[in-house]
Amino acid sequence: MIIRFTARLACCCVTAVAASALGLLPASAVPRTDTTPPPTAADASPLQEEGTHVGPLNGAPELPEDVSALSWLVSDADTGDVLAAHDAHRRLPPASTIKTLFAVTALPNLADAAPHTVTEEDLEAVGEGSSRVGVAAGRTYTVEDLWRGVFLSSGNDAVHVLAAMNGGWTATAEQMQAKARALGAFDTYVVSPDGYDEPGQVSSAYDLAVFGRAGLEDPRFTSYASTVDAQFPGGTDDDGSPTWTYGIQNTNRLLTGADGVEKYQGIIGIKNGYTSQAGNTLIAAARRDGRTLLVTVMNPQAGGGHAVYEEARSLLDWGFAAADDVEPVGSLEPPDVQKDPAPGPGPVTRAATPPAHVPPAVSPDAGTGIAYVWMGAFVGASCVAAAIVLRLHRRARFPEARAAGSAVNAAGGSVGSRHE
């Protein structure tokens, strides 16, 4: 009777501990991963394999030999056909080219946004060394001025303000992640919507081309991306009207022809980027003779800071010359993906307002330490309960030995020793 009751009590304890472990385990203790299903076999193109891919027909020109980028892609923006690519799905830091995904995501949400008065909180998480357009707390800006700050000056300060208007930093990163998946971009992981170097933030030449193509479908995006220069408010009234302005110029040299880089004929623009980890990155679109080509170039390994523009130029020239003489090697169209079950937790993102020098407080493995603590408690409780049951069971089976043992102990002896 006593054995059964105690065993039941021990089992109840084990169950209670297990329930507590599972019930009290916080959501953050589970590694937060993107559970969106990968592309199906419909996306099984040569681009999934490493190396250079092109399908030349008779008379097709040779690919340029002076392209040193770690990853690049040439595509027809109208059809989505990929004409040639090198390591198209290699995951690399994107730098400010990720701002194209930010714009594709947030532009529709903020189309009718009222002028916004910037707060200190809007700007306090802008990373150290970030490119800025000069947004200042206490001033009121129109959404159009802020977007020009993003596209022309690559202003991380403008991105932070627009993200605040869009629901916050973390919410915007999650929206961007969802948008990337909806567009069929499975190489991209968003941590910092402005492209600031953060652990885990990656994209690919393929995904950047997808984002650039999606942007070209929005006239507002195209207008901002093709603007060479503008006046930015240095002071504002309460309605966002500038009291004085200063000039800003697009940092895309293929668009402006600045710094000794020749302007590309037919250039539409889009977005360039640079960080110490990403190197130089570029999404460039140009239109000639009724055809729009899109080129992405990630991290050239030779030629200096302007190599990204010259390599993009070479690839655009090749694309216009070869477009009718190559078979597509892939497509930017979204592949078929299984929509059920619903996507799991969103991406790991930086807190809304961390100090500028602090990396994201949450990582894909965040909370696993807590999980180990609870698992350890569960295992320990199980062992204790098992030991109690075993001891009681032995006492019940061998009462004579227990009695003899008690007599020997009373006399100062022992019945032997056991190592545990």
Side-chain angles (χ1 to χ4, degrees):
M1 178 78 73
I2 296 176
I3 293 175
R4 290 177 181 176
F5 173 77
T6 308
R8 289 175 182 174
L9 178 61
C11 291
C12 290
C13 292
V14 172
T15 304
V17 171
S20 299
L22 295 176
L24 296 178
L25 188 63
S28 60
V30 180
R32 304 185 66 190
T33 57
D34 179 14
T35 59
T36 304
T40 64
D43 189 45
S45 72
L47 299 180
Q48 299 293 336
E49 302 175 1
E50 295 180 355
T52 301
H53 301 282
V54 62
L57 301 175
N58 291 335
E62 295 289 332
L63 284 167
E65 298 180 353
D66 59 347
V67 180
S68 67
L70 295 178
S71 178
W72 56 262
L73 183 144
V74 184
S75 62
D76 186 312
D78 298 317
T79 65
D81 290 341
V82 178
L83 308 181
H86 175 75
D87 286 356
H89 288 284
R90 181 173 180 175
R91 297 180 178 183
L92 298 165
S96 286
T97 50
I98 203 68
K99 289 183 171 81
T100 56
L101 176 59
F102 171 70
V104 167
T105 303
L107 261 172
N109 300 341
L110 301 176
D112 301 320
H116 177 78
T117 301
V118 177
T119 66
E120 295 287 351
E121 289 75 16
D122 291 342
L123 299 174
E124 68 180 4
V126 178
E128 183 179 355
S130 289
S131 54
R132 297 172 181 257
V133 67
V135 175
R139 294 177 186 166
T140 302
Y141 297 88
T142 66
V143 69
E144 293 81 11
D145 282 328
L146 291 170
W147 280 119
R148 281 187 281 269
V150 172
F151 277 90
L152 275 67
S153 296
S154 202
N156 288 5
D157 48 357
V159 173
H160 276 260
V161 174
L162 287 166
M165 297 170 65
N166 187 55
W169 193 251
T170 298
T172 297
E174 292 173 346
Q175 292 172 32
M176 291 170 65
Q177 191 72 64
K179 184 66 173 180
R181 296 299 179 262
L183 291 171
F186 291 88
D187 302 320
T188 298
Y189 196 78
V190 181
V191 179
S192 185
D194 55 5
Y196 193 77
D197 282 337
E198 294 285 11
Q201 176 143 291
V202 292
S203 190
S204 67
Y206 180 91
D207 284 13
L208 294 181
V210 168
F211 305 149
R213 183 178 183 231
L216 290 175
E217 296 176 357
D218 187 333
R220 295 164 300 178
F221 181 105
T222 305
S223 176
Y224 291 128
S226 61
T227 299
V228 174
D229 53 42
Q231 293 294 308
F232 192 80
T236 64
D237 289 328
D238 292 341
D239 62 355
S241 300
T243 56
W244 62 277
T245 63
Y246 54 89
I248 58 175
Q249 186 180 57
N250 203 306
T251 56
N252 182 352
R253 274 76 166 180
L254 283 184
L255 177 67
T256 64
D259 299 333
V261 176
E262 181 181 353
K263 182 177 180 178
Y264 191 78
Q265 180 184 353
I267 189 71
I268 296 172
I270 297 193
K271 192 73 189 74
N272 60 308
Y274 172 80
T275 67
S276 57
Q277 293 183 25
N280 287 284
T281 58
L282 176 67
I283 309 171
R287 187 167 183 82
R288 292 183 185 175
D289 301 324
R291 173 178 279 125
T292 301
L293 294 186
L294 192 64
V295 164
T296 52
V297 179
M298 301 189 76
N299 201 352
Q301 300 297 289
H306 292 164
V308 71
Y309 301 109
E310 300 309 326
E311 294 188 10
R313 182 193 309 279
S314 296
L315 291 170
L316 284 168
D317 285 345
W318 175 87
F320 283 116
D324 294 326
D325 298 313
V326 294
E327 291 284 354
V329 292
S331 175
L332 299 181
E333 288 290 323
D336 294 330
V337 297
Q338 182 180 352
K339 296 301 182 182
D340 293 321
V348 177
T349 54
R350 175 168 59 180
T353 55
H357 65 282
V358 176
V362 182
S363 71
D365 296 322
T368 53
I370 299 176
Y372 293 145
V373 171
W374 282 105
M375 183 59 71
F378 171 61
V379 173
S382 300
C383 293
V384 171
I388 292 173
V389 173
L390 180 61
R391 186 175 183 86
L392 291 173
H393 182 62
R394 286 180 173 176
R395 288 184 177 181
R397 289 186 61 188
F398 306 109
E400 298 84 356
R402 186 170 69 253
S406 298
V408 172
N409 287 336
S414 69
V415 293
S417 62
R418 182 179 61 169
H419 296 281
E420 298 181 353

